[in-house]
Structure formats: C-alpha cells, structure tokens
Amino acid sequence: MNRDYDAYDVGLTWKPSRLGFTLGYGHAEDELVGLESDQFVGGVSWDFNEQARISLGGQYANRETLR
C-alpha cells in the first residue's frame, strides 16, 4: 500500500523533589484506515521512599475517522 502514516508524541517530566509531574501530547494520522487521533496525558507522583511511589494520571483521547 502506498499510504501515509504520521505520528509523534512529546512529553515533559519535572521532579523537583519527592513530588513529580508529567505532561504529554501525541498525534497520529493514518490515511490507509482513515484515522486521526490526538491524546493528552497528565500525571503526578509522590515518592514515599526509595522503594515506594504512588502515581495518579489521566488521559484524554480524541479519535476521528477521516472518511
């Protein structure tokens, strides 16, 4: 098949102390199946010690058919 597929994602993580933050964005387009998608991700974490960490995150995804 001679169709285009493009995808990328970028992200940032910042951990100034025991508390950490992350943000991310991704995008994809697939002409073969006629799909386009965008995704946003965010999260926060807390290190109790070297062996234990708790994390909480959320994701939003939007997918559309192009045909």
Side-chain angles (χ1 to χ4, degrees):
M1 297 285 175
N2 209 10
R3 301 287 180 136
D4 284 330
Y5 175 77
D6 296 309
Y8 62 88
D9 65 32
V10 294
L12 175 67
T13 298
W14 181 50
K15 193 165 182 316
S17 62
R18 296 168 66 171
L19 185 62
F21 303 93
T22 187
L23 292 172
Y25 170 76
H27 176 80
E29 292 182 35
D30 189 338
E31 287 185 11
L32 179 61
V33 297
L35 183 68
E36 182 175 321
S37 67
D38 292 290
Q39 174 178 296
F40 300 92
V41 177
V44 64
S45 67
W46 177 262
D47 292 342
F48 290 101
N49 55 42
E50 289 184 21
Q51 292 82 28
R53 173 184 294 159
I54 189 167
S55 301
L56 177 67
Q59 174 184 25
Y60 169 78
N62 180 34
R63 292 177 179 86
E64 296 179 13
T65 19
L66 302 176
R67 298 180 194 174

